[in-house]
Amino acid sequence: MDPKKVDGASDKMGGDGDIGSVMGFSGFGKKARTFDFDAIFEQTRRTAIERSQHVLEERQKETPMEEEGESSKSVKPLVHSQKEKAAAASSRVHKSDSSSGSDSDSDSDSELIGPPVPPQHAAQEDDDELVGPPLPPGYSGSTAHSDDDDEEEAQDDDDDDNNPVKKIPDTHEITLQHGTKTVSALGLDPSGARLVTGGYDYDVRFWDFAGMDQALQAFRSLQPCECHQIKSLQYSITGDVILVASGNAQAKVLDRDGFNVMECVKGDQYIVDMANTKGHTAMLNGGCWHPKIKEEFMTCSNDGTVRTWDLHSEKKHKSVFKPRSLQGKKVTPTCCAYSRDGKLIAAGCQDGTIQIWDRNLSVHTKFHCRQAHTPGSDTSCLSFSYDGMTLASRGGDDTMKMWDIRNFRKPVNVATGLTNYFSMTDCCFSPDDKLLVTGTSVKKDEGNGKLVFFDRVSFQRVYEIEVTNASVVRCLWHPKLNQIMVGTGNGLAKVYYDPFKSHRGAKLCVVKSQRKEKQAETLTQDYIITPHALPMFREARQRSTRKQLEKDRLDPKKSHKPEPPVSGPGRGGRVAAHGGTLSSFIVKNIALDKTDDSNPREAILRHAKEASENPYWVAPAYTQTQPEPVFAEESEEDEEADKEPEWKKRKI
């Protein structure tokens, strides 16, 4: 084709040049121009970096001004900056076009083909820097700030982990009314579904957290040991049976619903060696289950023995451990406990010693501390830590001590001033093994009983809870529920929990509304019933006299024959009307005697005047010898005798 003709045609289309440039076909018919895309992209990238830095500087200046009135003003510079970006990009494209145009002048084969490069192309190609629209002013949600927040939260979590006091679940509490006397025993099954309480009122009450509502009523109450105080209650490791140790010599095992499963045999109290008897012969002081073997449990008693039992052989104990004093004499164990692995058996005794045996060797002690607590005081509780190396003892000498059983001669730490009036005051470790918990006793109206928390390492009193105006006897910190159960001296069982840190347990029953009592339905319509209208009230008509006579004959009152008059002397306790015998005559006259003997003085003095005027019996005998009566005069001896004290007088 002739190039001159093409140039002429293009001149004709000059009027339509603007439309052609807009539509993108203005370059048709011209030679293609060559231009360097790499140079264009590099120039665009540099310009975008400069612009983004400028925007960031403006944003940093405007961040302190976060008021609502200035927020609308801060949007305008961004709009201008975006317009400037678009203008700059378009200018860069024109410059590149002009530069490429100069190159095309030198090269006759280079012509521009296709539409111009869009202005947004430069921002999209910038991978190393900001992508998308600029951030609004005052925005602080960058990745750097979020990382800082995560680090702060992690530090807070670390602080909570390092501070065990924050893990104590004491924000909420519920109160279970066991009775009016001391709650001396608490037991919670391993799953934390049921709580069992026992007290000085001989009652054992069962509480089901899932079945209770806000009324907080026990679903069962019983007296398994009649009139004996409950000393200890504990669920087995499987939670299907409960060990009950009471004031008698026989421990009992109940199932989850309170029915009797087993009762230990009572020993022969006339045998001197307690190892030769089949069971305990004196009051029990405590009992606990083996932590690994579900059929084995242990009891300690005032007969000076600690015995292990098997659930399936109630006729005889399994083994006997006999605590001994330094002189080899019998001492009374007041509490007992298994180690966490079940290999050791520990007993606290009345002489202040703590004696530990190997479970399989019952003769000699494995560990022995002679002066653990004051002699004569009842060691009320022994508790092993979860790691198995530490033993805590709660003494009747108002102390709590922590021992390392590997070095059992001296306590690791001692806490004093913890008043203890009960022989079953508890101490226990927290689930994380960092705290030690016990209760304090108070006298009536002399303050509040407290639940005291000690740090296991420093043994400092780090926290305390005022429970009630009575002694705190039992305490139990369940590891699964993360809830603390407390038994008090005024018949209350309290449960402390935290809605966020605790699980199930008391949280199940506090959300249930109290059930309404079912009232008896009343009749909507009153019925009037005439008494004799119904057949059951009608009197039967008498059909024949013969049947009536037969009925009267069977009636003892109607068929009674009157007795005939007694003839002769009398018989059957009846006296004849009158007869020739003396007895009948006397009986008849006694009944007829009408003399009044209501005033005996008048009856006696009735004949006094006549006797003095006409003496007949005594006075005529003394008419010659003693016409006038002579009476004895009172002597001094009689007066002195009257003045003598009563205990010296002669008893007649």
Side-chain angles (χ1 to χ4, degrees):
M1 182 179 289
D2 190 0
K4 293 181 180 180
K5 294 181 180 179
V6 174
D7 294 337
S10 62
D11 292 338
K12 292 178 182 178
M13 296 174 63
D16 299 333
D18 295 336
I19 299 174
S21 63
V22 173
M23 298 300 293
F25 52 82
S26 62
F28 291 124
K30 295 181 181 180
K31 292 182 180 180
R33 291 184 296 176
T34 59
F35 50 90
D36 190 0
F37 280 102
D38 293 334
I40 296 172
F41 293 155
E42 181 66 24
Q43 183 66 24
T44 306
R45 190 177 70 83
R46 289 177 182 175
T47 308
I49 290 173
E50 293 176 358
R51 292 294 180 183
S52 62
Q53 288 179 352
H54 180 66
V55 171
L56 285 174
E57 289 176 359
E58 290 182 354
R59 189 186 68 192
Q60 289 177 357
K61 291 178 181 179
E62 294 174 357
T63 47
M65 303 170 64
E66 294 180 353
E67 297 180 358
E68 294 181 358
E70 296 179 355
S71 61
S72 60
K73 298 178 182 179
S74 62
V75 179
K76 296 180 180 178
L78 288 173
V79 177
H80 292 299
S81 64
Q82 289 177 355
K83 291 181 180 179
E84 289 173 0
K85 268 192 175 183
S90 62
S91 65
R92 285 197 299 272
V93 172
H94 289 302
K95 286 179 182 178
S96 63
D97 292 341
S98 62
S99 62
S100 62
S102 62
D103 294 337
S104 64
D105 293 339
S106 61
D107 188 2
S108 61
D109 296 334
S110 62
E111 290 292 336
L112 180 62
I113 298 176
V117 180
Q120 292 83 4
H121 183 69
Q124 293 177 357
E125 291 294 330
D126 187 11
D127 296 334
D128 297 334
E129 298 300 326
L130 292 175
V131 178
L135 296 173
Y139 180 72
S140 61
S142 62
T143 56
H145 289 290
S146 63
D147 293 340
D148 294 339
D149 294 340
D150 294 340
E151 290 177 0
E152 291 177 0
E153 290 178 0
Q155 289 178 358
D156 294 340
D157 294 340
D158 293 339
D159 293 340
D160 291 344
D161 294 339
N162 295 330
N163 188 4
V165 178
K166 293 184 178 179
K167 295 184 179 180
I168 298 174
D170 67 327
T171 58
H172 294 69
E173 67 176 84
I174 61 171
T175 302
L176 309 176
Q177 184 71 44
H178 171 86
T180 56
K181 296 186 178 180
T182 302
V183 177
S184 56
L186 279 178
L188 196 61
D189 67 341
S191 64
R194 284 190 178 179
L195 174 70
V196 58
T197 59
Y200 279 5
D201 55 357
Y202 323 132
D203 285 342
V204 173
R205 293 180 183 268
F206 292 79
W207 314 79
D208 188 6
F209 288 120
M212 281 194 301
D213 56 11
Q214 290 181 358
L216 303 177
Q217 297 294 325
F219 74 90
R220 180 157 293 131
S221 177
L222 50 95
Q223 293 185 357
C225 303
E226 295 179 349
C227 51
H228 293 283
Q229 294 176 352
I230 307 299
K231 295 296 184 72
S232 140
L233 292 170
Q234 188 179 6
Y235 276 91
S236 65
I237 55 172
T238 55
D240 54 348
V241 286
I242 308 166
L243 174 63
V244 181
S246 63
N248 62 354
Q250 297 171 272
K252 280 191 175 184
V253 178
L254 310 177
D255 63 3
R256 286 180 63 86
D257 295 323
F259 297 103
N260 197 10
V261 175
M262 169 197 168
E263 184 176 15
C264 296
V265 68
K266 188 176 182 180
D268 189 351
Q269 56 190 356
Y270 296 103
I271 295 178
V272 177
D273 188 3
M274 288 291 105
N276 295 329
T277 59
K278 297 179 180 180
H280 288 295
T281 60
M283 179 183 73
L284 297 177
N285 288 323
C288 58
W289 287 95
H290 194 283
K292 302 293 184 183
I293 305 172
K294 65 178 182 179
E295 293 90 5
E296 182 179 324
F297 62 92
M298 172 175 58
T299 56
C300 63
S301 168
N302 277 352
D303 61 2
T305 61
V306 177
R307 299 175 191 260
T308 59
W309 304 80
D310 193 303
L311 188 61
H312 302 297
S313 60
E314 60 183 13
K315 297 298 182 184
K316 194 177 188 302
H317 59 255
K318 198 172 181 181
S319 58
V320 182
F321 302 86
K322 295 188 290 185
R324 289 289 181 261
S325 64
L326 184 61
Q327 295 80 16
K329 295 182 179 179
K330 180 177 73 172
V331 294
T332 299
T334 56
C335 60
C336 58
Y338 278 104
S339 62
R340 294 288 175 177
D341 56 2
K343 295 180 180 179
L344 300 177
I345 288 177
C349 303
Q350 269 187 344
D351 62 344
T353 61
I354 297 177
Q355 304 182 27
I356 302 178
W357 297 268
D358 190 321
R359 175 177 162 271
N360 298 321
L361 302 173
S362 62
V363 180
H364 299 292
T365 57
K366 188 173 183 179
F367 306 103
H368 200 142
C369 184
R370 292 289 178 193
Q371 295 179 347
H373 291 279
T374 305
S377 63
D378 292 345
T379 303
S380 59
C381 181
L382 295 176
S383 177
F384 281 89
S385 63
Y386 286 91
D387 58 14
M389 291 294 103
T390 305
L391 175 69
S393 63
R394 182 74 164 94
D397 53 357
D398 300 344
T399 63
M400 183 172 64
K401 300 183 180 182
M402 193 166 66
W403 310 81
D404 189 342
I405 60 175
R406 295 165 293 188
N407 184 15
F408 205 47
R409 294 186 178 180
K410 291 184 178 180
V412 179
N413 288 305
V414 179
T416 58
L418 303 172
T419 312
N420 184 5
Y421 297 146
F422 293 87
S423 61
M424 66 278 297
T425 301
D426 263 336
C427 65
C428 64
F429 286 88
S430 63
D432 59 359
D433 244 6
K434 293 182 179 179
L435 295 175
L436 192 56
V437 190
T438 188
T440 61
S441 302
V442 293
K443 292 184 179 179
K444 190 175 181 180
D445 300 331
E446 291 188 7
N448 293 335
K450 297 178 181 178
L451 197 64
V452 189
F453 296 80
F454 291 88
D455 186 83
R456 178 180 169 181
V457 179
S458 63
F459 225 62
Q460 297 293 322
R461 186 183 293 202
V462 294
Y463 196 71
E464 61 183 26
I465 301 173
E466 288 196 359
V467 180
T468 183
N469 58 350
S471 301
V472 176
V473 183
R474 289 286 187 180
C475 61
L476 188 153
W477 195 335
H478 198 271
K480 282 190 177 180
L481 302 182
N482 193 26
Q483 298 178 12
I484 302 174
M485 321 295 170
V486 180
T488 66
N490 56 356
L492 304 179
K494 290 200 171 188
V495 182
Y496 290 90
Y497 68 97
D498 189 300
F500 303 103
K501 301 171 187 174
S502 303
H503 311 283
R504 298 177 63 81
K507 292 170 61 179
L508 298 177
C509 55
V510 295
V511 298
K512 294 182 180 179
S513 59
Q514 190 170 348
R515 297 188 186 96
K516 294 183 178 179
E517 296 181 358
K518 293 183 178 179
Q519 298 180 353
E521 296 181 357
T522 57
L523 294 174
T524 57
Q525 184 178 359
D526 294 333
Y527 293 94
I528 300 174
I529 301 173
T530 55
H532 300 289
L534 300 177
M536 60 183 297
F537 294 109
R538 291 176 186 166
E539 295 181 359
R541 289 183 297 175
Q542 192 173 357
R543 297 181 180 177
S544 63
T545 57
R546 186 174 62 84
K547 289 184 178 181
Q548 184 64 32
L549 291 175
E550 290 178 357
K551 289 182 180 180
D552 293 344
R553 179 58 62 193
L554 297 175
D555 189 356
K557 290 184 177 180
K558 292 185 178 180
S559 61
H560 177 65
K561 180 183 178 183
E563 295 181 357
V566 179
S567 61
R571 64 181 183 277
R574 297 181 65 199
V575 181
H578 56 83
T581 61
L582 178 62
S583 61
S584 62
F585 177 77
I586 292 173
V587 168
K588 183 179 179 181
N589 288 327
I590 285 175
L592 295 176
D593 189 8
K594 301 295 183 181
T595 57
D596 184 15
D597 294 334
S598 59
N599 192 346
R601 178 179 176 80
E602 291 182 358
I604 293 172
L605 296 179
R606 186 174 53 200
H607 309 286
K609 185 177 180 181
E610 185 180 356
S612 60
E613 293 177 356
N614 300 316
Y616 180 77
W617 296 106
V618 179
Y622 296 97
T623 52
Q624 295 180 0
T625 59
Q626 190 178 351
E628 294 182 3
V630 178
F631 299 102
E633 296 179 358
E634 292 185 359
S635 62
E636 295 180 359
E637 294 179 359
D638 295 337
E639 293 178 359
E640 291 177 359
D642 292 338
K643 294 178 182 180
E644 287 181 355
E646 292 293 332
W647 60 273
K648 281 190 175 183
K649 290 182 179 180
R650 184 181 177 183
K651 295 181 181 179
I652 300 174

